[in-house]
Amino acid sequence: MTKKEYGKKFRDLPDALSANELAQVLRVNVKTVYKLIRTGEIPAVRVGREYRVAKGTLVDYLRSNERKAGNKYVLSDNSSRSA
């Protein structure tokens, strides 16, 4: 998926996602998101007591893993996008 396609897919998301929002988008447990942040796999900025991940960082993460694994990620349109 191209960066432009991801941009269209994620246009309704906020520019900076919390760990909970990111977990919903990736359809993983929030603990997994914190592990990805802690290991540096997904760069994040700490704001107060919470972390924020830029939407562009999410796209870069998905695209890099897509290239490494040769897989295509399918994100359901049914996933919750409310913040």
Side-chain angles (χ1 to χ4, degrees), residues 5 11 26 30 35 44 46-47 62 66 74 79 83:
E5 290 170 327
R11 71 175 162 252
L26 295 176
V30 71
K35 181 180 177 185
R46 192 166 183 153
V47 179
L62 291 173
E66 190 175 280
V74 177
S79 62

Side-chain angles (χ1 to χ4, degrees), residues 23-39:
Q24 288 177 349
V25 171
L26 295 176
R27 300 184 69 164
V28 297
N29 191 294
V30 71
K31 289 181 182 182
T32 303
V33 171
Y34 283 120
K35 181 180 177 185
L36 293 169
I37 291 170
R38 188 175 56 251
T39 60

Side-chain angles (χ1 to χ4, degrees), residues 8 10 15 17 20 23 29-30 44 49 52 54 56 66 73 75 83:
K8 287 179 184 177
F10 297 143
D15 290 335
L17 295 101
N20 287 326
N29 191 294
V30 71
R49 300 178 91 185
R52 294 283 186 263
E66 190 175 280
Y73 288 88
L75 297 174

